[in-house]
Amino acid sequence: MIQSVAFIGLGAMGYRMAAHLPKHFNEVYVWNRNHDKAKQHAAEYGTQAVDLRQASQADVIFSCLPTSQEVDAILAQVQLKKGCIWVDCTSGVPEAAKAQALHLAAQGVHFLDAPVSGQTIGAENATLTFMVGGDSDAFQQARPAMQAMGQLIKHVGGSGAGFAVKAINNMMMAVHLCAAAEGFTTLKAHGVNLNEALACINASSGKSGVTETALPQRILNREFPLTFALPLLAKDTGIAIDLVREAKLSAPVIGLTQSLIQAANALAEPNSDFSTAIKLYESWSNITLE
Ligand code: NDP
């Protein structure tokens, strides 16, 4: 039985995810580097803003930080309760998850790599997908806490498997983003009505998550709302290419997409949403997708 839950990292995802926990658990601790955000969360949702020492005493501890590096830094600072489960929702590095799981196992603690998909809207509506790697008994124990924030909760393998699935998912999204940018600049060059073209493609075999949501809701309306930062996507495509290399596979589409996303990220303004990657194509072609 889970009595207490903690959430570490109240960013674009974590702030919204942790908001659901008090509906299911009596004791919910939140910690954030900028402590004012934790206090604001407590006032808004009835969580308890605590220090790291107290957060680390919960039965299930979630983290959602930019990269595995920040998770390592936090893990190095805390003394955890034997038998607790650390559920890392960061889109992290599979090799880091293996090391983190080993490190915590020595303290009698389970580590699950449990990245999520569904973006901030999924975090807000508790409809996230959790892709989880690690011990299957620990997964079953922590499942009710993940269910408070998600809809599809899947155990995909041993330590690192969750992070691997997430990196490949985001790499595939990046491939779709590049394909959509190339396809739609070509259509515009031919004088096609892009909104009508989008309606046709979304009813046809070329559709993707990018054509269904990113193109109409971020790109063609020129809003580019910052909910998933481009540097975070560039980090994910980097993890994906490392997985390809470690497996000694040849994956030319992934390789090219990785280069394009890194280039787009290098040229982007600070605080750019992932969807602004298409501006790389716009600058090459002098065509604006609107
Ligand atoms: P944000 O940049 O919005 O939030 C980052 C969080 O990490 C903040 O709470 C920040 O604290 C904290 N943080 C940053 N650096 C440190 C540090 N050195 N020590 C302690 N805390 C730190 O990121 P997101 O919420 O967008 O993303 C978090 C993770 O979730 C990433 O791995 C991302 O790839 C993944 N993800 C994001 C999605 C999205 O749509 N945004 C969707 C799915 C996954 P502070 O407030 O003090 O800056």
Side-chain angles (χ1 to χ4, degrees):
M1 274 294 281
I2 302 168
Q3 304 290 349
S4 52
V5 181
F7 206 106
I8 291 175
L10 303 172
M13 292 300 285
Y15 198 90
R16 293 167 170 89
M17 289 166 74
H20 300 288
L21 294 171
K23 297 174 216 159
H24 304 269
F25 304 98
N26 290 333
E27 274 178 82
V28 180
Y29 308 133
V30 290
W31 180 87
N32 195 64
R33 179 178 60 173
N34 166 0
H35 194 61
D36 285 347
K37 250 199 228 176
K39 285 199 261 183
Q40 190 188 327
H41 198 275
E44 221 173 313
Y45 300 112
T47 50
Q48 296 178 54
V50 297
D51 58 19
L52 256 188
R53 191 198 48 78
Q54 192 173 351
S56 62
Q57 293 313 298
D59 298 330
V60 174
I61 301 153
F62 287 96
S63 49
C64 190
L65 300 172
T67 72
S68 291
Q69 252 182 318
E70 287 83 25
V71 178
D72 277 340
I74 298 280
L75 285 176
Q77 292 174 51
V78 295
Q79 188 60 48
L80 298 165
K81 193 170 75 171
K82 197 170 177 201
C84 76
I85 304 170
W86 189 289
V87 184
D88 185 22
C89 300
T90 305
S91 300
V93 176
E95 283 305 313
K98 290 176 195 164
Q100 288 156 338
L102 269 179
H103 168 71
L104 292 187
Q107 299 174 32
V109 170
H110 284 295
F111 178 92
L112 299 174
D113 46 300
V116 295
S117 71
Q119 302 198 352
T120 50
I121 185 72
E124 210 160 296
N125 296 334
T127 54
L128 293 172
T129 295
F130 280 75
M131 40 210 99
V132 188
D135 180 81
S136 53
D137 290 340
F139 167 75
Q140 290 304 343
Q141 282 175 52
R143 193 187 186 120
M146 292 186 264
Q147 260 159 351
M149 302 177 284
Q151 209 162 40
L152 183 70
I153 322 284
K154 288 283 182 194
H155 184 240
V156 293
S159 281
F163 285 163
V165 175
K166 176 67 186 173
I168 294 298
N169 175 76
N170 280 20
M171 172 53 93
M172 289 174 67
M173 190 273 280
V175 170
H176 296 313
L177 190 60
C178 293
E182 292 179 18
F184 277 72
T185 39
T186 305
L187 288 175
K188 185 139 182 200
H190 285 273
V192 172
N193 178 319
L194 292 191
N195 286 306
E196 300 304 334
L198 183 64
C200 294
I201 287 172
N202 279 338
S204 307
S205 52
K207 72 178 170 192
S208 66
V210 168
T211 62
E212 287 180 326
T213 61
L215 262 180
Q217 294 167 17
R218 293 169 188 269
I219 298 168
L220 294 181
N221 62 7
R222 310 307 290 173
E223 286 187 7
F224 305 104
L226 174 58
T227 64
F228 177 44
L230 183 53
L232 291 178
L233 177 61
K235 172 256 307 178
D236 294 335
T237 59
I239 297 171
I241 196 81
D242 285 346
L243 285 169
V244 171
R245 288 187 186 126
E246 283 158 23
K248 297 189 171 43
L249 295 173
S250 159
V253 174
I254 286 183
L256 189 52
T257 304
Q258 153 73 352
S259 302
L260 290 165
I261 295 295
Q262 300 305 324
N265 186 37
L267 295 172
E269 301 287 323
N271 299 320
S272 291
D273 186 63
F274 75 95
S275 54
T276 62
I278 63 105
K279 291 186 180 175
L280 185 67
Y281 286 96
E282 293 185 334
S283 68
W284 288 339
S285 61
N286 255 333
I287 289 174
T288 304
L289 294 181
E290 58 186 337

